[in-house]
Amino acid sequence: MTTAPPTPPDTDPAAFVAGLRRLKAWSGLSYRRLERAAAEAGHSLPYSTAATMLGRERLPREELVAAFVAACGVRGAEAEAWLDARTDIACGPAPALMPVPVPVPEDATPASLPAVAAPARTRPWRPRWTLVAAAALVTALLGGVTASGVFTDDEEVHETRTSVRL
């Protein structure tokens, strides 16, 4: 490993995973050795998880990227660059600072005004926990309905001699 490690691409998930593959090739480690190196660095990275992660085109979880990068021998600012690139792909780049408004003279025409770039569109953040909570609520409601007997057939209840005499 006399050369510098590859730099992380921050364009899309497929390019990021391709960069992780290049990082593995740069390290020269097998999946089993990556597992051991991650454990030595204080991370958990099963070899099968690393192989699956590099075989897909989806963006891996942040803790897997941290473990993988550490196992490949990347530390410090270079490791932070990989995590930052992953965050930029997952959440979009950090928004730029808002420009300071410039006063416009009253006699200005639209042609004399400087062009203003439209702000980057950001996607609204939908917390994953909202979906998890909704799924748990639906499961609890269905469990309660099932336990109360709403889904049972009425034919299962048979009259007995004692119920007729009462």
Side-chain angles (χ1 to χ4, degrees):
M1 291 194 289
T2 57
T3 62
T7 58
D10 58 359
T11 55
D12 59 81
F16 186 80
V17 173
L20 289 175
R21 287 188 206 111
R22 285 192 300 277
L23 185 62
K24 179 189 177 295
W26 172 82
S27 73
L29 299 174
S30 67
Y31 289 114
R32 297 273 183 178
R33 289 190 181 186
L34 282 172
E35 181 178 23
R36 282 185 234 129
E40 290 170 4
H43 296 281
S44 174
L45 181 67
Y47 72 93
S48 59
T49 303
T52 302
M53 176 180 71
L54 295 182
R56 293 185 178 168
E57 299 296 318
R58 293 188 345 210
L59 193 63
R61 295 189 321 260
E62 185 173 4
E63 61 268 14
L64 289 179
V65 173
F68 185 82
V69 169
C72 287
V74 178
R75 303 281 191 270
E78 292 172 335
E80 285 298 318
W82 280 93
L83 294 175
D84 290 344
R86 188 233 171 258
T87 302
D88 286 348
I89 294 170
C91 302
L97 296 175
M98 294 298 293
V100 177
V102 178
V104 179
E106 291 180 17
D107 60 343
T109 62
S112 67
L113 294 176
V116 177
R121 294 179 63 193
T122 58
R123 288 178 272 159
W125 186 69
R126 295 183 189 173
R128 188 176 293 183
W129 292 110
T130 303
L131 296 174
V132 171
L137 179 64
V138 168
T139 303
L141 288 175
L142 286 176
V145 167
T146 303
S148 69
V150 170
F151 293 135
T152 60
D153 290 337
D154 290 335
E155 296 175 11
E156 293 178 11
V157 179
H158 299 286
E159 290 186 24
T160 62
R161 292 182 184 191
T162 55
S163 63
V164 174
R165 292 183 187 170
L166 292 176

